[in-house]
Amino acid sequence: MRISIFPLTGAILFPGMQLPLHIFEPRYRAMVQDALARDRRIGMMQPQRAEDGAPLFQIGCLGKIAEVEALDDGRFNLVLEGEARFRVLRELDAITPFRQIEAELLDEELHPALAAIERASFEREARRFADAQGYVVDWDAVTRLDDVSLIDGVSQIAPFDAAAKQALLEADTLAQRCELLVQLMQFFGRRDSDDGRVTLQ
């Protein structure tokens, strides 16, 4: 399928999750206008480097514009709702100001769930991580979340670098994503630097 993409470093979208976006660059305003005129769908992807025209990672997430606010000066505020992960087959030689790709949607788990020990291990590590970072968390609300909302939600908002977030998006199963999140939280807590970033290097 043909997908118009929004390459944004550090921004990850997961199926079933929502991502608020402020669109101000002319080429991406054109992309939103095009999406609204067609099927309201945009592909969120990360570039491999934070520079214009940089190569893309191979896995992204297709999102549908669920809410949109058109501002008087041509900018947009919108909420993108994740629908499905996809793999890039090739980048198209598009005449539009925004980039387009040919992609295939990835098959997802039919009924993703964690084993009780996986869920308990994640929540235990998440509490340590939150305490170490000084985050205030409503743990009662966390325990009421289903496995997918918890793991994918944390993956999307976690304060990791682009490579780590991409690795989370590329994990094939919920259990693999959960395991990687635990490893990243442990690594983040042990980091020696003070720059507030974590990498997989």
Side-chain angles (χ1 to χ4, degrees):
M1 67 183 300
R2 186 185 186 104
I3 300 176
S4 301
I5 61 163
F6 187 16
L8 188 60
T9 300
I12 290 287
L13 177 64
F14 284 87
M17 299 290 110
Q18 292 188 330
L19 181 66
L21 294 168
H22 176 65
I23 308 297
F24 58 90
E25 285 190 58
R27 56 183 163 174
Y28 298 125
R29 283 155 42 180
M31 177 190 66
V32 171
Q33 291 169 341
D34 178 72
L36 291 173
R38 294 186 302 107
D39 60 2
R40 301 177 72 92
R41 286 174 171 81
I42 295 170
M44 289 301 302
M45 298 203 71
Q46 290 203 119
Q48 295 183 22
R49 299 187 300 275
E51 60 188 55
D52 202 33
L56 302 166
F57 284 106
Q58 290 300 297
I59 305 295
C61 184
L62 185 65
K64 184 173 184 177
I65 298 174
E67 300 176 26
V68 61
E69 177 189 16
L71 304 178
D72 292 339
D73 60 2
R75 293 176 295 137
F76 292 96
N77 291 321
L78 53 88
V79 175
L80 207 59
E81 191 166 277
E83 290 193 333
R85 295 184 308 146
F86 61 80
R87 176 180 290 108
V88 177
L89 298 177
R90 64 188 180 99
E91 184 161 356
L92 301 173
D93 186 15
I95 60 172
T96 55
F98 48 89
R99 299 167 74 175
Q100 298 185 51
I101 60 167
E102 182 180 343
E104 61 177 357
L105 298 183
L106 299 178
D107 292 331
E108 303 290 357
E109 293 177 277
L110 290 178
H111 305 289
L114 299 174
I117 190 170
E118 291 173 320
R119 172 86 183 216
S121 174
F122 174 81
E123 289 193 14
R124 183 170 58 252
E125 196 58 46
R127 285 176 182 268
R128 290 176 183 163
F129 180 76
D131 289 345
Q133 301 303 314
Y135 297 152
V136 178
V137 178
D138 183 349
W139 293 109
D140 288 337
V142 168
T143 59
R144 291 194 296 270
L145 289 173
D146 63 84
D147 293 343
V148 175
S149 297
L150 176 62
I151 300 302
D152 287 355
V154 172
S155 295
Q156 187 165 305
I157 66 172
F160 305 138
D161 76 353
K165 293 175 84 73
Q166 185 67 29
L168 290 165
L169 183 66
E170 293 181 6
D172 287 329
T173 67
L174 189 70
Q176 290 172 355
R177 192 168 297 127
C178 175
E179 181 181 3
L180 180 55
L181 265 178
V182 169
Q183 293 172 355
L184 286 168
M185 288 187 292
Q186 292 172 340
F187 178 65
F188 192 100
R190 290 196 303 267
R191 63 182 172 78
D192 296 322
S193 64
D194 296 319
D195 61 3
R197 309 294 283 177
V198 73
T199 75
L200 296 181
Q201 304 302 314

